[in-house]
Amino acid sequence: QVQLVESGGGLVQAGGSLRLSCAASGRTFSSYAAGWFRQAPGKERAFVAAINWSGRSTYYADSVKGRFTISRDNAKNTVYLQMNSLKPEDTAVYYCAADQGRIVTTSSRYWGQGTQVTVSS
């Protein structure tokens, strides 16, 4: 069993930066793929970024490539999402996910409660 807790969301002006953290419990987390999804009001949950268990492979949605960076520290059981050059369209609730396998998807077993990111214009 893995429990995920996100933090680091908030209100930021366009062009600003935020770093989200996802702290995981459970000894097996370091062997799990992890990632971030987001859900804006009235929209479906969408993939943002993912990272494999070792951190050597990362994947990004086209909309965030070059602006967001996903990383992990397995010694701390934590995954990060560094978000730079934020745009109003990045406003959403951001969710952390984890599961066995190469990459997380919307069907992944473990999810955090979400953290709100609001980007003002």
Side-chain angles (χ1 to χ4, degrees):
Q1 190 75 8
V2 174
Q3 292 185 326
L4 306 173
V5 179
E6 302 98 334
S7 61
L11 174 63
V12 64
Q13 288 188 332
S17 298
L18 283 174
R19 188 174 83 154
L20 305 184
S21 298
C22 173
S25 64
R27 294 179 297 172
T28 57
F29 179 74
S30 61
S31 66
Y32 281 23
W36 294 90
F37 294 75
R38 66 187 181 186
Q39 189 166 17
K43 295 188 177 181
E44 293 186 351
R45 192 169 296 188
F47 170 76
V48 174
I51 190 166
N52 77 331
W53 70 272
S54 69
R56 292 179 179 177
S57 296
T58 57
Y59 311 88
Y60 297 94
D62 288 343
S63 59
V64 307
K65 277 182 183 176
R67 299 189 298 123
F68 291 10
T69 303
I70 189 170
S71 61
R72 67 189 299 163
D73 184 339
N74 284 339
K76 296 182 178 179
N77 270 9
T78 303
V79 175
Y80 305 98
L81 185 68
Q82 177 67 43
M83 305 186 295
N84 298 329
S85 302
L86 282 161
K87 303 175 181 180
E89 51 263 44
D90 294 319
T91 295
V93 177
Y94 283 71
Y95 296 91
C96 178
D99 208 341
Q100 293 176 309
R102 183 179 65 85
I103 189 170
V104 291
T105 70
T106 53
S107 299
S108 291
R109 286 182 291 171
Y110 304 111
W111 292 86
Q113 83 289 349
T115 185
Q116 177 70 46
V117 171
T118 303
V119 184
S120 63
S121 58

